[in-house]
Protein backbone atom coordinates (compact mmCIF):
# COMPACT_ATOMS: atom_id res chain seq x y z
CA UNK A 1 0.00 0.00 0.00
CA UNK A 2 1.18 3.47 -0.88
CA UNK A 3 -0.58 6.42 0.74
CA UNK A 4 -1.63 9.11 -1.71
CA UNK A 5 -2.42 12.58 -0.44
CA UNK A 6 -4.73 14.34 -2.91
CA UNK A 7 -5.19 18.10 -2.79
CA UNK A 8 -7.51 20.47 -4.64
CA UNK A 9 -5.15 23.42 -4.23
CA UNK A 10 -1.54 23.97 -3.21
CA UNK A 11 -2.23 25.50 0.19
CA UNK A 12 -4.86 27.26 2.20
CA UNK A 13 -6.39 30.57 1.27
CA UNK A 14 -4.65 32.18 4.22
CA UNK A 15 -1.40 30.22 3.75
CA UNK A 16 -0.99 29.81 0.01
CA UNK A 17 1.62 28.19 -2.15
CA UNK A 18 1.27 30.04 -5.42
CA UNK A 19 2.95 28.16 -8.22
CA UNK A 20 3.03 30.19 -11.43
CA UNK A 21 0.43 28.79 -13.82
CA UNK A 22 2.30 29.81 -16.96
CA UNK A 23 4.41 26.64 -17.20
CA UNK A 24 3.13 24.51 -14.33
CA UNK A 25 1.98 21.60 -16.46
CA UNK A 26 4.59 22.03 -19.19
CA UNK A 27 7.16 20.71 -16.68
CA UNK A 28 4.85 17.97 -15.37
CA UNK A 29 5.62 14.27 -15.53
CA UNK A 30 3.55 11.18 -16.12
CA UNK A 31 3.55 8.68 -13.26
CA UNK A 32 2.31 5.11 -13.56
CA UNK A 33 -0.07 3.89 -10.90
CA UNK A 34 -1.46 0.36 -11.08
CA UNK A 35 -4.74 1.41 -12.63
CA UNK A 36 -3.77 4.54 -14.55
CA UNK A 37 -1.22 7.09 -15.59
CA UNK A 38 -1.46 10.47 -13.87
CA UNK A 39 0.16 13.85 -14.39
CA UNK A 40 2.31 14.98 -11.47
CA UNK A 41 4.35 18.08 -10.78
CA UNK A 42 7.81 18.45 -12.25
CA UNK A 43 10.75 17.61 -9.97
CA UNK A 44 11.49 21.19 -8.96
CA UNK A 45 7.85 22.06 -8.26
CA UNK A 46 7.33 18.80 -6.37
CA UNK A 47 10.36 19.43 -4.16
CA UNK A 48 9.19 22.94 -3.27
CA UNK A 49 5.64 21.78 -2.65
CA UNK A 50 6.80 18.97 -0.34
CA UNK A 51 8.94 21.47 1.57
CA UNK A 52 6.02 23.90 1.83
CA UNK A 53 3.56 21.18 2.85
CA UNK A 54 5.79 19.82 5.60
CA UNK A 55 6.49 23.30 6.92
CA UNK A 56 2.80 24.20 6.83
CA UNK A 57 2.16 21.21 9.10
CA UNK A 58 5.21 21.91 11.32
CA UNK A 59 6.92 18.70 10.10
CA UNK A 60 4.88 16.74 12.66
CA UNK A 61 5.11 13.60 10.52
CA UNK A 62 8.61 12.43 9.80
CA UNK A 63 7.20 10.63 6.76
CA UNK A 64 6.99 14.04 5.03
CA UNK A 65 10.65 14.70 5.74
CA UNK A 66 11.52 11.21 4.56
CA UNK A 67 9.68 11.92 1.29
CA UNK A 68 11.85 15.01 0.75
CA UNK A 69 15.00 13.04 1.53
CA UNK A 70 14.06 10.25 -0.89
CA UNK A 71 13.25 12.75 -3.63
CA UNK A 72 16.56 14.58 -3.10
CA UNK A 73 18.53 11.33 -3.21
CA UNK A 74 16.76 9.83 -6.23
CA UNK A 75 16.27 12.79 -8.53
CA UNK A 76 18.45 15.32 -10.27
CA UNK A 77 17.35 18.93 -10.05
CA UNK A 78 17.84 22.14 -11.96
CA UNK A 79 19.00 23.96 -8.80
CA UNK A 80 18.96 27.46 -10.31
CA UNK A 81 15.32 26.78 -11.24
CA UNK A 82 14.57 25.51 -7.72
CA UNK A 83 16.05 28.66 -6.17
CA UNK A 84 14.27 30.94 -8.67
CA UNK A 85 10.94 29.18 -8.12
CA UNK A 86 11.35 29.27 -4.34
CA UNK A 87 11.73 33.06 -4.56
CA UNK A 88 8.69 33.35 -6.86
CA UNK A 89 6.53 31.28 -4.51
CA UNK A 90 7.83 32.77 -1.26
CA UNK A 91 9.02 29.36 -0.12
CA UNK A 92 12.77 29.97 0.26
CA UNK A 93 12.60 29.48 4.02
CA UNK A 94 10.47 26.33 3.63
CA UNK A 95 13.11 24.90 1.29
CA UNK A 96 15.98 25.88 3.57
CA UNK A 97 14.26 24.46 6.63
CA UNK A 98 13.54 21.15 4.89
CA UNK A 99 17.16 20.85 3.68
CA UNK A 100 18.41 21.64 7.17
CA UNK A 101 16.14 19.00 8.73
CA UNK A 102 17.04 16.36 6.13
CA UNK A 103 20.74 16.94 6.75
CA UNK A 104 20.65 17.30 10.54
CA UNK A 105 17.62 15.41 11.81
CA UNK A 106 17.69 12.50 9.34
CA UNK A 107 21.49 12.68 8.89
CA UNK A 108 21.16 12.29 5.11
CA UNK A 109 23.95 13.13 2.74
CA UNK A 110 22.81 15.42 -0.04
CA UNK A 111 25.46 15.23 -2.76
CA UNK A 112 25.34 17.80 -5.52
CA UNK A 113 23.34 20.29 -3.50
CA UNK A 114 24.64 23.80 -4.23
CA UNK A 115 25.30 26.11 -1.29
CA UNK A 116 22.86 28.68 -2.67
CA UNK A 117 19.95 26.24 -2.36
CA UNK A 118 20.39 26.02 1.38
CA UNK A 119 21.82 29.42 2.15
CA UNK A 120 18.89 30.63 4.32
CA UNK A 121 18.98 27.85 6.87
CA UNK A 122 17.19 28.74 10.05
CA UNK A 123 18.42 26.68 12.98
CA UNK A 124 15.86 28.28 15.32
CA UNK A 125 12.98 27.02 13.17
CA UNK A 126 14.56 23.57 13.01
CA UNK A 127 14.92 23.51 16.81
CA UNK A 128 11.25 24.45 17.08
CA UNK A 129 10.31 21.53 14.81
CA UNK A 130 12.22 19.16 17.10
CA UNK A 131 10.30 20.55 20.10
CA UNK A 132 7.01 20.12 18.19
CA UNK A 133 7.83 16.44 17.65
CA UNK A 134 8.12 16.00 21.42
CA UNK A 135 5.18 18.23 22.42
CA UNK A 136 2.60 19.19 19.78
CA UNK A 137 2.38 22.98 19.44
CA UNK A 138 -0.49 25.06 20.77
CA UNK A 139 -2.24 27.69 18.64
CA UNK A 140 0.08 30.53 19.56
CA UNK A 141 3.24 28.51 18.83
CA UNK A 142 1.77 27.28 15.53
CA UNK A 143 0.89 30.83 14.51
CA UNK A 144 4.34 32.14 15.41
CA UNK A 145 6.03 29.29 13.55
CA UNK A 146 3.99 29.82 10.39
CA UNK A 147 4.81 33.53 10.41
CA UNK A 148 8.52 32.87 10.85
CA UNK A 149 8.49 30.20 8.14
CA UNK A 150 7.47 32.69 5.45
CA UNK A 151 9.72 35.46 4.21
CA UNK A 152 7.37 37.68 2.21
CA UNK A 153 5.38 40.32 4.08
CA UNK A 154 2.33 39.79 1.88
CA UNK A 155 2.23 36.08 2.83
CA UNK A 156 2.48 36.95 6.51
CA UNK A 157 -0.25 39.60 6.20
CA UNK A 158 -2.52 37.20 4.32
CA UNK A 159 -2.03 34.58 7.01
CA UNK A 160 -2.73 37.00 9.85
CA UNK A 161 -5.85 38.31 8.11
CA UNK A 162 -7.08 34.76 7.58
CA UNK A 163 -6.42 33.97 11.23
CA UNK A 164 -8.28 37.10 12.34
CA UNK A 165 -11.28 36.26 10.17
CA UNK A 166 -11.38 32.72 11.58
CA UNK A 167 -11.20 33.79 15.21
CA UNK A 168 -14.99 33.76 15.36
CA UNK A 169 -14.80 29.96 15.11
CA UNK A 170 -12.33 29.58 17.97
CA UNK A 171 -12.69 32.76 20.01
CA UNK A 172 -10.13 35.41 20.81
CA UNK A 173 -9.12 33.56 24.00
CA UNK A 174 -7.64 30.73 21.96
CA UNK A 175 -5.13 33.05 20.34
CA UNK A 176 -4.37 35.15 23.42
CA UNK A 177 -4.03 32.21 25.84
CA UNK A 178 -2.23 29.96 23.38
CA UNK A 179 -4.90 27.23 23.68
Amino acid sequence: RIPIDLHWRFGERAYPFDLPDNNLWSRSQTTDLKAAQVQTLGNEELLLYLCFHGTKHYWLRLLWLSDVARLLQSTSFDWPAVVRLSKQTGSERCLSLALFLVRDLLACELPGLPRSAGSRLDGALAAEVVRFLAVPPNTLRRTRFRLRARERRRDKARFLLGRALRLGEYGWETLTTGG
Side-chain angles (χ1 to χ4, degrees), residues 26-117:
S26 67
R27 295 169 52 99
S28 69
Q29 307 173 108
T30 302
T31 301
D32 287 318
L33 299 178
K34 274 190 173 182
Q37 291 186 332
V38 295
Q39 289 298 113
T40 60
L41 295 173
N43 292 335
E44 291 73 17
E45 290 84 359
L46 179 59
L47 174 63
L48 287 176
Y49 178 72
L50 291 175
C51 295
F52 168 81
H53 184 262
T55 301
K56 180 180 84 165
H57 293 292
Y58 325 103
W59 295 104
L60 290 176
R61 293 189 180 168
L62 290 177
L63 173 67
W64 295 326
L65 200 53
S66 175
D67 289 343
V68 171
R70 264 184 295 192
L71 184 65
L72 287 167
Q73 292 174 332
S74 67
T75 307
S76 61
F77 291 94
D78 177 354
W79 283 107
V82 170
V83 172
R84 189 173 46 255
L85 194 56
S86 74
K87 288 178 183 177
Q88 281 182 308
T89 59
S91 61
E92 292 174 273
R93 202 163 288 150
C94 297
L95 172 65
S96 293
L97 175 60
L99 296 176
F100 187 92
L101 291 169
V102 164
R103 284 182 189 140
D104 286 22
L105 192 61
L106 298 184
C108 287
E109 291 293 321
L110 301 175
L113 184 68
R115 286 186 191 269
S116 62

